[in-house]
Amino acid sequence: MKRNNFCQTDKLLHQRVKDLSKSSQKEYNYVFDDIYHLTGRTPTELVKIGLQEQDPYATNEKGEKTYEYLPFRTITSIHEEYEEYLRKNSNIKESTIKGRLLYFRSLFNKHRIELPDMPIFHIKKPRTRLKELPLDSELKLAIELSTEPVQPLLFLTPRVTGLRLSDIETFTYNTVLEATKLYHDGTLEDLLNKNPYEIIPRFELDPVKTEKQGNLCITFATPEWTYYFFRYTKWRQRKYEEAVDELERLKHDVRAKNKHRKNRIEKRIQKLKITPESPLFISNLSRVTGLTKGSMGRLFYDMNEKLMYELGPDYNYKNEDNNYGRFRAHNLRKLFSTTCRVNMVKINVENRNDKFRELDIVSLFTGHTPPNMSNSEVYDAVEEDSFDSELRQVYTALVPFNTIYREQYDLEQERQRALELQKENERIKKDIDSAVNQKISEVFNEYGIEEILKKHGL
């Protein structure tokens, strides 16, 4: 059944919600569409009734002054009727009932219309226990079970950055280029020519969920993440070129059956094409604009089902309240936070910034205001990114604990150390050869050896 979009069509509700998020507007639509089907009245009509019934100078049909007692007002009966309607729906949780009543009341509070007391709700706030968080071994299996090329990169992102899906949804290729600007000349081509295991991206953003609070989020990604970014991007480039070649082959084909095929290829080309503004995350579930928070969530949900099938009864699919999938972005974000906090005591980073010593770094990584500082103090404490910045040093020290394929990472680190050692040996050898040649030249000059050799025809 199609719902009424009162957030757009009703003047008073539109004024209330125009500056709110899309998710909040969606909730308002749910609430007042339900109210409309219960009462046949729009939000504006309800506000008018509420104002009339609480006005002591209002008159009834006989022209007599009247003042409707709150328990007998229309708005009170609708409030009670809506609460009863929600409670009869067994699929709606207590927390949802409370939330929808608050949305309902919000419109009338704005117009200072008296309302009955809010019902008392006894809501137990679920807490995620460590045993409910996914294991890195499960994430590794999820990567191996992935059927969409975007999945490994998507699954890894909240695990190693602590970012929410609402923030990941906004990622473009320019986001990554900006995050890795210390390593390249500003182009994707130059970036892809580097060794991914030497690159730790740094993301700085205003979290979508808390942007009105002014929260700052500065986080990083592991070299392993960079490797999967390279792999996914090269796959995308290859598929783009293949689609362009296929379209070129069909370009002059006038057969009707290929017309729709051309249209499909053109849309695929548009989706696969990489520009700085292109969405980073795309898949067969997405439109040209890229994966949304909802379609990202669907990929996590589907993988949760696969893991349940693969791991069987040993896989703790649900939490103590029998809710939520274990393998979901929010749990991976919590796993990142927990991993950092547990291992923070194991790392030793020399801090030169006195303000930085007071900063709760994990809060900054996950987009929360540190408990002991204001947002302005956080901005003052954090310096511009550089290879020796404090934040980068801390995250770099935590990289081994946030790496999923640790063996591969260790192997790459050993390879890098071997290359560096080889370069150092070559440099030392060159310095020794240069010093020896210099000394020989000095001896030849001092004793006139070259002249002696010439006299003897040598």
Side-chain angles (χ1 to χ4, degrees), residues 1-6 13 26-43 46 78 81-87 89 92 96-97 99-101 103-104:
M1 180 177 66
K2 186 177 180 180
R3 290 185 173 271
N4 292 294
N5 187 1
F6 285 121
L13 186 61
K26 184 178 179 181
E27 286 299 316
Y28 273 105
N29 275 332
Y30 269 116
V31 168
F32 284 98
D33 182 69
D34 286 342
I35 297 295
Y36 181 77
H37 284 100
L38 286 172
T39 67
R41 294 186 173 106
T42 66
L46 291 171
I78 292 174
E81 185 181 1
Y82 186 44
E83 182 189 352
E84 183 181 359
Y85 164 78
L86 292 172
R87 291 191 182 282
N89 190 333
I92 298 181
T96 305
I97 295 173
R100 292 197 175 171
L101 283 175
Y103 276 108
F104 171 75

Side-chain angles (χ1 to χ4, degrees), residues 247-263:
L247 184 63
E248 188 63 29
R249 288 196 299 271
L250 295 172
K251 196 171 183 180
H252 304 293
D253 194 327
V254 294
R255 287 177 293 181
K257 68 177 183 178
N258 281 329
K259 184 177 180 180
H260 295 299
R261 188 178 172 190
K262 288 179 187 176
N263 289 338

Side-chain angles (χ1 to χ4, degrees), residues 75-87 93-106 109 115-123:
I75 201 67
T76 301
S77 62
I78 292 174
H79 190 285
E80 292 170 351
E81 185 181 1
Y82 186 44
E83 182 189 352
E84 183 181 359
Y85 164 78
L86 292 172
R87 291 191 182 282
K93 298 176 184 178
E94 190 87 346
S95 57
T96 305
I97 295 173
K98 179 181 179 180
R100 292 197 175 171
L101 283 175
L102 288 172
Y103 276 108
F104 171 75
R105 295 168 67 92
S106 172
N109 285 331
L115 293 166
D117 290 341
M118 182 72 174
I120 296 174
F121 291 89
H122 301 285
I123 300 171

Side-chain angles (χ1 to χ4, degrees), residues 179-193:
T180 55
K181 62 185 179 182
L182 294 179
Y183 300 92
H184 58 80
D185 65 2
T187 64
L188 183 63
E189 291 73 21
D190 188 53
L191 173 60
L192 295 177
N193 283 327

